[in-house]
Amino acid sequence: MVSMQDIAKEVKATAEIIDTVSRILADASRSAVIEVNNATSRTLSRLRGTHAHGAFAKLPADSIGPFQSDAFGSRSSEGGIATGTTGLVVYGLDDEGTALKISWVVPFIGGNEARAEVTGPNASFYVCRGEILGGNKKVAARFAIGENAALGPRVPDWRACGECKALFFGLDAGRCPGNVARGRRPAIVVGEDGRLLNEPGYGAHQAAGLVLCLPFGVPGPNRESGWRKCVRCKALFYDGYEDRKGVCPKWSAPRPGHVAEAGGHDFFLPFDMPLRPRQQNDWRFCDRCFVLFYWPHNADGDCAAGGRHHPHPFNYVLDHL
């Protein structure tokens, strides 16, 4: 499982930036280089920055983009006697009032402190930490914020089907609308009582490409719930509508739609967020058959509703091994 330390390392401020801030603070009696690492899919927007003691030697950036970092300086007051630096910066995370608060204390006498806290209605989406390094005179304070969902559990072994381009569970090949076992797609015949008289002769999905991992159980920003495995065809489909379940290639009249696996996971899929290492984007929801499919290869894909998949605008981002 990915750790907070792993995520923070991906966005660590460069040594050049930190060195520049350090030179600005060279003549201060007490100082701190403050590093803020944003390991979330949201932009951190600075709401305010204040000092109880001291002042900024280099101002914090107005904003820190997703998976970006910033470094700034805090110093004791010029001409002050036996003073340190104590500061606070607050960043907004969304329009609902969720905020990251970071603070530091580098006293003239006593121990150093670094604190980080997320407050507001969506605070449970995030995890943060603060640490302070160095001696009593010149210190480095590092803060990082990430998303709990990025650290949560995942189910591996999901694969793209090389035939229909849908995402399916690779340990159970299911049925593929692009793989017709008898060489042609047979007509579907339904009896007077509504029973299916000839099940379409679809073959199994054919695994291709990366081994993908789907997150479940932990909500977060830009993460959509309602994604389930179909017990019939084994594809991942959107189960968020009560009265619509798409079209499943292994269906039984009078219910042509997908059927969610009883007791299966409710997957929370990230969408419209920056691509990180070991991730693949361009997965889309087909608003005809309701599966998740790989958009770049759709030119020769197959939709269970006929023809090619039709993409919804959300761009889903999946982890891979």
Side-chain angles (χ1 to χ4, degrees):
M1 185 179 295
V2 178
S3 69
M4 183 63 186
Q5 287 81 358
D6 293 332
I7 294 177
K9 286 178 183 177
E10 295 177 12
V11 294
K12 187 176 179 181
T14 66
E16 181 180 355
I17 294 174
I18 293 173
D19 184 60
T20 298
V21 177
S22 297
R23 288 198 299 270
I24 295 172
L25 299 169
D27 61 344
S29 62
R30 295 290 184 271
S31 64
V33 176
I34 315 295
E35 180 183 343
V36 182
N37 300 312
N38 179 15
T40 77
S41 59
R42 295 299 180 94
T43 295
L44 299 182
S45 299
R46 178 163 59 92
L47 302 179
R48 67 179 185 273
T50 61
H51 277 81
H53 300 287
F56 289 115
K58 178 182 181 297
L59 287 174
D62 290 336
S63 62
I64 307 174
F67 303 102
Q68 300 294 320
S69 63
D70 181 38
F72 55 91
S74 174
R75 56 173 295 158
S76 56
S77 298
E78 295 183 14
I81 300 175
T83 62
T85 175
T86 300
L88 166 74
V89 178
V90 180
Y91 298 94
L93 280 157
D94 55 35
D95 295 333
E96 301 173 58
T98 309
L100 168 67
K101 298 180 180 180
I102 65 168
S103 61
W104 59 94
V105 178
V106 184
F108 190 80
I109 299 174
N112 303 323
E113 297 180 13
R115 296 178 182 177
E117 177 187 17
V118 179
T119 62
N122 297 318
S124 62
F125 288 173
Y126 302 97
V127 58
C128 61
R129 65 184 178 92
E131 60 179 350
I132 201 157
L133 308 170
N136 184 252
K137 184 177 180 181
K138 299 183 185 301
V139 304
R142 291 175 180 167
F143 299 92
I145 179 171
E147 296 174 7
N148 279 311
L151 310 176
R154 281 158 173 64
V155 175
D157 297 313
W158 288 87
R159 307 293 299 274
C161 175
E163 297 287 343
C164 69
K165 316 311 177 190
L167 186 71
F168 76 100
F169 190 56
L171 301 184
D172 192 346
R175 289 292 180 268
C176 168
N179 185 359
V180 182
R182 292 194 289 271
R184 64 183 181 86
R185 183 169 299 177
I188 295 172
V189 181
V190 181
E192 292 182 0
D193 59 358
R195 290 186 303 108
L196 190 68
L197 300 182
N198 71 324
E199 181 177 337
Y202 295 118
H205 290 292
Q206 303 297 307
L210 301 168
V211 177
L212 297 152
C213 306
L214 302 188
F216 67 92
V218 184
N222 282 54
R223 291 176 186 270
E224 184 177 57
S225 64
W227 288 93
R228 307 288 296 276
K229 181 173 78 172
C230 177
V231 72
R232 292 171 170 172
C233 68
K234 313 307 177 185
L236 186 74
F237 79 102
Y238 184 64
D239 193 31
Y241 301 113
E242 283 191 16
D243 57 342
R244 292 183 291 158
K245 304 298 176 182
V247 180
C248 175
K250 185 177 173 60
W251 63 281
S252 298
R255 295 182 61 196
H258 298 284
V259 176
E261 181 181 54
H265 295 300
D266 180 8
F267 295 103
F268 289 79
L269 299 192
F271 63 91
D272 293 347
M273 58 175 59
L275 195 65
R276 288 172 43 220
R278 307 192 74 80
Q279 287 187 329
Q280 184 181 57
N281 60 7
D282 280 329
W283 287 91
R284 302 297 175 97
F285 164 63
C286 175
D287 56 19
R288 299 174 68 237
C289 70
F290 282 28
V291 302
L292 192 72
F293 73 98
Y294 191 52
W295 169 241
H297 293 172
N298 191 45
D300 60 348
D302 287 281
C303 175
R308 304 301 180 216
H309 296 291
H310 187 265
H312 184 274
F314 282 177
N315 183 353
Y316 296 91
V317 182
L318 306 181
D319 293 338
H320 65 80
L321 297 180

